[in-house]
Amino acid sequence: MAGEQDLRKAMLMGNKTERIIFATTPELKEAVALMSGERCMTISAYITSLIVEDVLAHKGVLPDDFAKEA
């Protein structure tokens, strides 16, 4: 799917300048660390991959002009 691939590129490529900060429990932090390690990813990459997959699964809610620069 070219559209899905373009959307994925728009979200993952480029200079990472924005941050999302959130609070978590020690248990969730440990689980995320274990899961990211199982996938040979950093915690940041693991969280980002989960978000991207969810966005792609629900891309119908995005505006039509979302990430057209991809």
Side-chain angles (χ1 to χ4, degrees), residues 1-21:
M1 233 184 227
E4 186 170 305
Q5 186 175 4
D6 290 341
L7 182 56
R8 183 181 299 276
K9 285 179 184 178
M11 290 187 286
L12 292 173
M13 302 298 288
N15 190 12
K16 308 295 188 282
T17 59
E18 303 297 322
R19 298 192 185 281
I20 298 175
I21 299 172

Side-chain angles (χ1 to χ4, degrees), residues 11-70:
M11 290 187 286
L12 292 173
M13 302 298 288
N15 190 12
K16 308 295 188 282
T17 59
E18 303 297 322
R19 298 192 185 281
I20 298 175
I21 299 172
F22 60 94
T24 186
T25 62
E27 294 83 4
L28 182 56
K29 182 179 177 184
E30 182 178 356
V32 169
L34 289 169
M35 294 305 296
S36 64
E38 285 292 313
R39 288 167 173 73
C40 299
M41 303 169 96
T42 65
I43 289 174
S44 179
Y46 176 64
I47 292 170
T48 299
S49 71
L50 293 175
I51 294 168
V52 168
E53 291 304 317
D54 189 58
V55 168
L56 292 173
H58 301 93
K59 63 184 172 195
V61 301
L62 298 174
D64 289 337
D65 63 345
F66 183 80
K68 288 294 183 188
E69 307 82 45

